[in-house]
Amino acid sequence: VTTDGIDLAGTLHFGRDVSFYNALSYNRSVYADDYSNGKALVPTSGKKIPGSPEWMNKFVASATFGEIETQLIGDYVGKRYATYTNDLAVKSYFMLNLGVNVKIPMAQNNFIKNARVRLNITNLNQIKGDSVAVVGAASGTYNTFPIAPRQYFVTFGADF
């Protein structure tokens, strides 16, 4: 296998309360040779490694408004081949997630300190597709796990 790639990441700050983080990854992994399955030669030479996208991107846009912290998170996962011979592929996808964290005011000298509630919403844009491709054959078939539908999570936290 020959692998070439690069990862770039950086954060821009717009004052104290707003930031934008972005990470971009390029990965090109290719088989150097064919292989024998015991009966025949499987033509994998020059084929891309299955299950590994060439392009991925993640961003996190963060903003703070007083006691409220927000994050909008975007994930792009490029097309992934699902077999060793690259005859089948899983489509790319772009998913958004949202997080909001609110500090709950508490009286000083209270038993509970630093109380907060967090709301997370996954798959905000309700995309459908395949999150994981399970590669198990040289060609003709593969299995996947679907992208989970939109979900809501509420978390309460505090220090004692």
Side-chain angles (χ1 to χ4, degrees):
V1 174
T2 301
T3 299
D4 296 307
I6 188 168
D7 295 318
L8 300 170
T11 303
L12 296 173
H13 293 274
F14 305 95
R16 294 179 54 197
D17 297 328
V18 178
S19 66
F20 184 81
Y21 166 84
N22 195 66
L24 177 66
S25 294
Y26 172 77
N27 173 27
R28 186 173 187 279
S29 295
V30 181
Y31 288 111
D33 299 306
D34 296 332
Y35 75 91
S36 174
N37 65 7
K39 297 178 188 173
L41 194 64
V42 180
T44 55
S45 179
K47 304 294 183 184
K48 295 178 183 169
I49 301 296
S52 180
E54 274 192 330
W55 290 99
M56 293 193 312
N57 188 293
K58 180 179 202 88
F59 75 79
V60 180
S62 302
T64 301
F65 307 96
E67 300 297 315
I68 301 171
E69 299 171 351
T70 60
Q71 287 187 328
L72 179 65
I73 302 162
D75 285 301
Y76 171 79
V77 177
K79 178 177 93 171
R80 296 155 286 159
Y81 287 102
T83 64
Y84 296 106
T85 58
N86 295 172
D87 64 329
L88 299 172
V90 174
K91 293 180 183 179
S92 64
Y93 68 86
F94 175 74
M95 184 172 18
L96 291 170
N97 301 304
L98 177 68
V100 179
N101 190 54
V102 180
K103 294 179 184 175
I104 301 170
M106 302 297 289
Q108 285 195 323
N109 299 326
N110 198 346
F111 178 68
I112 298 174
K113 298 181 186 338
N114 196 23
R116 58 207 171 274
V117 62
R118 180 160 180 92
L119 169 67
N120 288 311
I121 304 172
T122 62
N123 198 358
L124 189 64
N125 52 336
Q126 291 194 8
I127 62 157
K128 294 183 180 182
D130 302 308
S131 67
V132 176
V134 181
V135 181
S139 63
T141 188
Y142 66 95
N143 295 309
T144 63
F145 292 99
I147 294 171
R150 181 183 295 164
Q151 298 176 68
Y152 301 85
F153 301 91
V154 177
T155 306
F156 296 96
D159 299 334
F160 297 95

